[in-house]
Amino acid sequence: MNTRQLLTGMSLFLYSAFFLNQPAYSKEVTPSFQDYRVVESLQKVFESVAEKVKPAVVNISTISEVKINHPPIPPEFKDFFFHFGVPFPQFPDKFRTRSLGSGFIVKQEEEWAYILTNNHVVDKATKIKVKLSDGSVYRAKVVGKDPKTDVALIKIKVGNKKVPTVELGDSDRIKVGEFVIAIGNPYGLNWTVTHGIISAKGRHGLGLNPIENFIQTDAAINPGNSGGPLCDIHGKVIGINTAIVRNAQGLGFAVPINIAKKVMNDLLKYGKVIRGWLGVYIEDISPELAKKFGVKKGVLITRVMKDSPAEKGGLKNGDIIVEFNGQPVKNVADLQLKVINTKPGEIVKIKVIRDGREKVLTVKIGQMPGTEHLALEDLISKFGFSVQELTEDLRERLGIPRWVKGGVIVTEVKPGSPAEDAGLREGDVIVKAGTTPRNLRRVKNLDDLLAVIRNAGDSGILLKVVRGEGVFYVVLNQEE
């Protein structure tokens, strides 16, 4: 056999081996009846969820006022305009912004419908409008906000009208890989439905919220989806669509509904969010530390706060917390959630590794500082004024009469607010509050005023006010 014959034989062999093993692209693919049934069943699930949940999803539009801090203008610059007889230009000190978001109706009590959404959707809004799926539009009021989890609860007055509500699920039971459906108003395209899967659970360290335990999903989420529901295949809400990673695809994050439910229940019951507090700075332990201490999981205490529940309970810098009340501690986010979900005053057992040995400590959980301030911000902002407790220093500087015992002093009154309409001014001292002359009670501190406002509901509030040497009464009504 010569070279030409050898090359010809090899070419024929390779040609046959390549083409005889290729798939028959020309062969027609005919799906079976069973194939169609499977796809149609999945399609019906998505259709069912959309029909069930969409009516309870709302469009939220807000107007906010943003203050502008102008740099100081030199007198010479003003003199220049004055020299030529030209009025000095007046620069605006604020401007209005508009934004869109989503929300969903969770419950209806009497004439009020309550809506869960994101805090960043309604934060600093001066006006909030809610559009229902039937096209009706309502002015909304903020029940309360929680910046730490980016959850807010608002309400609309619907009267005798029956509105659709969603069913809340259990975000602790969901699993990675499950189908999910997101509904919202991306870019103003109302009641858009997208689907995907749960990509991950317990995402934290993203720098989006102080408290993070996000559900990650690849369901399409865009600006305007914020505050909308993330649902399972049964139509139960398992999360609040919250954030996206810009310039990325398939990276959306939702606040677990179990976190939102606690925030909602606390706001309705207490007017603020009640959280447990341990009082430690912590960080995840590295693989090297884990190997040295002989642990697989846990968190390292880098600092114990002075006079905190942790210090009183015997925790020390360098301790590694491995168990909290009998449950293993996985990481920083896991411990944070365990602590904040513990009722203040509850006694817990905390197992630590100290100097290579296990030690179990008994700690009385405290209440996270700052929740009272948030409640004050949420409740007082409805009427357009802010206050602080009357101290001796303020009494001296403002010349408050000595016969005024206790009270809170008005530090700011927003223009056009119910407080301004009622006649309140900066420097006024609120000494009594109630809903009628009969139930007026002394206001010794901030908590006294908050209690009256919280219990008053939507009725007007009667205030006894001291201004200079005079005393008068005002009635505050929430803006409709």
Side-chain angles (χ1 to χ4, degrees), residues 1-20:
M1 180 180 293
N2 57 30
T3 303
R4 180 186 293 273
Q5 290 173 324
L6 178 62
L7 292 174
T8 302
M10 289 181 64
S11 298
L12 289 172
F13 173 76
L14 293 172
Y15 178 88
S16 301
F18 178 79
F19 285 99
L20 291 178

Side-chain angles (χ1 to χ4, degrees), residues 31-48 179 195:
S32 67
F33 177 74
Q34 184 63 29
D35 293 333
Y36 279 112
R37 291 292 298 272
V38 171
V39 176
E40 286 174 352
S41 297
L42 183 60
Q43 182 174 285
K44 286 180 180 177
V45 169
F46 292 141
E47 291 173 355
S48 173
F179 280 118
H195 78 276

Side-chain angles (χ1 to χ4, degrees), residues 281-286 289 298-302 331-332:
Y281 290 91
I282 53 178
E283 66 177 38
D284 290 319
I285 58 172
S286 64
L289 280 175
V299 298
L300 174 66
I301 297 178
T302 58
N331 49 43
V332 166

Side-chain angles (χ1 to χ4, degrees), residues 174-177 197-203 214-217 252-253:
I174 60 176
K175 296 181 179 179
V176 174
I197 63 169
I198 295 173
S199 305
K201 294 170 56 180
R203 290 295 194 205
F214 289 116
I215 300 169
Q216 182 183 328
T217 178
F253 300 94

Side-chain angles (χ1 to χ4, degrees), residues 369-430:
T371 51
E372 293 82 1
H373 173 72
L374 292 175
L376 176 68
E377 179 184 329
D378 289 338
L379 294 173
I380 303 299
S381 64
K382 296 178 182 179
F383 299 96
F385 74 106
S386 58
V387 298
Q388 69 180 71
E389 293 184 10
L390 180 60
T391 62
E392 285 301 315
D393 180 57
L394 283 173
R395 184 190 294 275
E396 296 266 342
R397 286 195 289 120
L398 299 175
I400 306 297
R402 282 289 167 187
W403 55 265
V404 178
K405 305 297 182 182
V408 294
I409 188 165
V410 177
T411 56
E412 180 185 5
V413 177
K414 295 181 180 179
S417 66
E420 185 185 57
D421 294 340
L424 277 181
R425 298 179 190 172
E426 293 181 16
D428 288 347
V429 180
I430 300 172

